[in-house]
Amino acid sequence: MLVTIESLLSKDETDQNNFMPIYQQWQSERSSISGLLTEYVRNAFKPTVMTPYIPLMIIFIIAQFL
């Protein structure tokens, strides 16, 4: 839907049209499903992201034994 709106706005060639086609650019540069999953896994192991997962995993493991 947003890409459709951006394409309609890009056809308008008036001076009032000062937008950047963010979603069209993202969609054209987007990776495949495997690329997105690889990026997700790579980011999940960063220390700032992994820190909240450790207590959650411990709680989940303890809950399995109760």
Side-chain angles (χ1 to χ4, degrees):
M1 176 90 177
L2 292 173
V3 175
T4 306
I5 294 171
E6 283 184 353
S7 65
L8 291 173
L9 287 174
S10 67
K11 291 178 184 176
D12 182 21
E13 297 179 4
T14 62
D15 290 334
Q16 297 173 350
N17 187 4
N18 294 328
F19 79 98
M20 296 195 52
I22 296 170
Y23 295 101
Q24 289 176 348
Q25 182 181 3
W26 176 80
Q27 191 173 31
S28 67
E29 295 175 359
R30 185 180 128 183
S31 301
S32 64
I33 296 293
S34 61
L36 291 174
L37 289 174
T38 304
E39 183 180 344
Y40 174 77
V41 169
R42 194 176 326 127
N43 286 328
F45 284 105
K46 290 184 178 179
T48 56
V49 178
M50 196 165 87
T51 303
Y53 285 134
I54 294 172
L56 288 173
M57 289 189 307
I58 292 170
I59 291 169
F60 180 76
I61 291 170
I62 292 172
Q64 292 297 316
F65 291 111
L66 295 179

